[in-house]
Amino acid sequence: MIYFIYSSYTLKKDVERSILATDKIKVCGKYLGIKTSPGATRAGPKDYITFQNDDGSISQFHSIPRYQNELFDLKQIYADDRICYYYSLKYTVNGNDYFISRIDILRNR
């Protein structure tokens, strides 16, 4: 129980730092959707917001709906939509995952 409370508090602080960061990177590309990857046995599978960047590389960010739903609505973004997303290289959540703090949809289809 104590671990759960501590980890929730830490996650909230990590998310806040990521949102307020002034060093955000902007990357543009194509939204590929939510992909599920098997997680550790105890934790179960993890959902990742997945993009194909303009340079052809694939980026995945851990989906944390309880925070991201307040920042943007993934239900308004469709597979293959052109987007730009923002995240900080300085701050991570859960120790090693970057957090998307903003998504701009580019409606040039």
Side-chain angles (χ1 to χ4, degrees):
M1 178 68 165
I2 292 173
Y3 173 77
F4 176 74
I5 293 169
Y6 174 75
S7 97
S8 292
Y9 172 78
T10 303
L11 177 62
K12 183 178 179 186
K13 287 295 178 194
D14 290 346
V15 166
E16 287 172 355
R17 283 194 296 252
S18 294
I19 291 170
L20 297 174
T22 58
D23 68 334
K24 291 182 188 154
I25 293 173
K26 175 182 177 181
V27 180
C28 296
K30 183 170 54 170
Y31 176 68
L32 298 179
I34 301 289
K35 308 291 183 190
T36 302
S37 295
T41 307
R42 248 178 55 202
K46 277 188 174 182
D47 289 336
Y48 289 92
I49 304 168
T50 308
F51 304 98
Q52 181 175 13
N53 303 325
D54 285 343
D55 67 4
S57 65
I58 302 291
S59 293
Q60 292 186 317
F61 296 86
H62 185 203
S63 177
I64 309 172
R66 70 177 166 215
Y67 297 111
Q68 287 161 330
N69 287 347
E70 296 175 17
L71 300 170
F72 49 84
D73 186 1
L74 285 175
K75 293 177 186 156
Q76 298 298 316
I77 308 170
Y78 302 98
D80 295 330
D81 274 352
R82 290 248 333 121
I83 52 85
C84 291
Y85 60 91
Y86 303 78
Y87 69 100
S88 171
L89 284 175
K90 184 175 180 182
Y91 300 105
T92 60
V93 296
N94 295 330
N96 60 356
D97 292 321
Y98 294 113
F99 181 80
I100 297 175
S101 58
R102 178 174 152 194
I103 293 179
D104 293 333
I105 305 169
L106 310 173
R107 295 286 183 199
N108 300 354
R109 286 188 146 189

